[in-house]
Amino acid sequence: TEESNIEETKYKLTISDLNETVLTIYQFNVGTDENNTQQLEISNIEGDFNSFIFDNSIVKLFDMVEAKELARAIIPMENNTGGSVAITLDELLEKEQFIVGDHYSAINYCFLSKNKENIAKIYSHPQGFLQCKEWLKNNYPDAELIECGSNSEAAKLASETGDSALAGKIAGQTYGLELITQNINDSSNNETRFIIVSKEQLDPKGGEKTSCFFALKNKPGALLDSLQPLKENNINMTKLESRPSKEVSWDYIFFIEFVGNLFDEKVQRSL
């Protein structure tokens, strides 16, 4: 965004895609240049937004929110078969931003190709390879798997090199790839959770979930002791992850999510 347009960018919302079916509350065609029209219909998101942009880089989206060039960004957090998106957790840890909402969306991968007679290389996001691992092993065990930053990028590269990709149907249509097989994910209920991040904390009084990072001394029972207040206050923990602290080798920071509003009395006691 040019400096002259900074005032307008505070109304913008950004979508990062692991798959072209990003959110069921959005209907849009993802483009990568100004000549490809981007259309979307939005509902159930609070806020006064008058423009939208799209970007495939998770790090860039966090950076733009941090610089207040964007009001909020929608970021992939985890998949029910492929697990958590590590870079999203790292960015949440490094940036002073708030999770202000989330949404779950079904993800259906397609096998797309520019040359179906010679499947030598297959491009996809790392999550695509994880979510379609068994299908790949059974159908193309000898193909070279090349990781990309997004499924849109994977489809674009496959089109340019004459190879194949795991991505969404829209990506195949956009880059002229032939749709070989649909719904190739190993799990029939393949679903990704997306979080909405913001530099400003919205009124959390209506929130139903709390997320936080914390560090512990490296001693026996430290993690167990730290989680005991959740049990004592009958709070259900829904997620527990660890990430390298990047300060001391083999030292970790913990990320947890649990059911309960930040201002609930029992949540305050636990924290």
Side-chain angles (χ1 to χ4, degrees):
T1 304
E2 298 178 358
E3 291 184 6
S4 60
N5 293 329
I6 289 296
E7 286 302 314
E8 296 179 8
T9 62
K10 65 182 180 181
Y11 300 108
K12 290 185 179 178
L13 183 68
T14 296
I15 294 174
S16 174
D17 70 318
L18 282 185
N19 191 281
E20 276 59 48
T21 309
V22 177
L23 291 178
T24 56
I25 59 173
Y26 290 93
Q27 299 174 357
F28 62 95
N29 297 319
V30 177
T32 56
D33 56 57
E34 294 179 355
N35 297 320
N36 194 334
T37 303
Q38 299 169 341
Q39 302 172 342
L40 74 165
E41 179 180 330
I42 183 170
S43 63
N44 299 329
I45 293 288
E46 295 182 359
D48 180 18
F49 302 105
N50 61 8
S51 56
F52 303 85
I53 65 173
F54 301 83
D55 200 286
N56 294 326
S57 170
I58 291 175
V59 174
K60 182 178 178 181
L61 299 185
F62 273 103
D63 286 344
M64 293 178 77
V65 172
E66 191 71 13
K68 296 185 178 181
E69 296 174 8
L70 298 175
R72 306 176 200 173
I74 298 180
I75 310 274
M77 178 69 165
E78 58 183 324
N79 178 266
N80 62 344
T81 57
S84 294
V85 181
I87 188 63
T88 297
L89 287 171
D90 289 344
E91 288 296 302
L92 283 172
L93 176 60
E94 295 170 10
K95 303 290 195 305
E96 294 185 3
Q97 296 178 22
F98 299 94
I99 300 176
V100 297
D102 63 2
H103 187 84
Y104 295 81
S105 179
I107 301 296
N108 295 310
Y109 274 91
C110 298
F111 182 60
L112 311 163
S113 185
K114 197 73 172 179
N115 182 9
K116 65 180 180 181
E117 304 301 327
N118 181 25
I119 310 298
K121 297 179 180 180
I122 301 175
Y123 295 86
S124 189
H125 188 277
Q127 282 282 333
F129 291 135
L130 284 172
Q131 295 168 37
C132 305
K133 181 174 64 175
E134 291 301 316
W135 187 90
L136 287 167
K137 184 172 67 176
N138 294 331
N139 290 276
Y140 300 103
D142 299 323
E144 180 183 358
L145 306 182
I146 303 175
E147 296 184 353
C148 303
S150 74
N151 291 321
S152 295
E153 180 186 354
K156 183 174 184 291
L157 288 172
S159 178
E160 293 172 347
T161 60
D163 292 303
S164 305
L166 306 184
K169 185 186 298 185
I170 295 176
Q173 295 171 348
T174 301
Y175 296 107
L177 299 176
E178 182 180 353
L179 174 60
I180 309 299
T181 311
Q182 299 188 66
N183 302 330
I184 63 173
N185 10 280
D186 298 333
S187 173
S188 59
N189 65 336
N190 194 34
E191 193 174 48
T192 292
R193 176 191 175 208
F194 294 83
I195 58 172
I196 304 171
V197 297
S198 173
K199 186 65 177 173
E200 297 181 2
Q201 184 178 19
L202 304 183
D203 184 358
K205 294 180 180 178
E208 299 176 349
K209 188 183 295 182
T210 300
S211 309
C212 66
F213 284 97
F214 61 92
L216 297 169
K217 292 182 179 180
N218 188 6
K219 64 178 184 179
L223 180 59
L224 176 63
D225 291 342
S226 70
L227 299 177
Q228 192 66 27
L230 297 180
K231 179 181 179 181
E232 293 173 352
N233 288 281
N234 195 32
I235 294 175
N236 182 30
M237 183 175 65
T238 58
K239 186 176 181 66
L240 171 63
E241 295 273 353
S242 64
R243 296 298 300 158
S245 68
K246 301 182 181 180
E247 295 181 355
V248 180
S249 295
W250 313 117
D251 184 51
Y252 295 90
I253 302 291
F254 293 95
F255 175 80
I256 63 170
E257 291 187 317
F258 52 84
V259 178
N261 187 281
L262 178 62
F263 291 100
D264 287 348
E265 184 178 345
K266 64 179 183 179
V267 170
Q268 288 293 309
R269 286 200 304 267
S270 298
L271 292 174

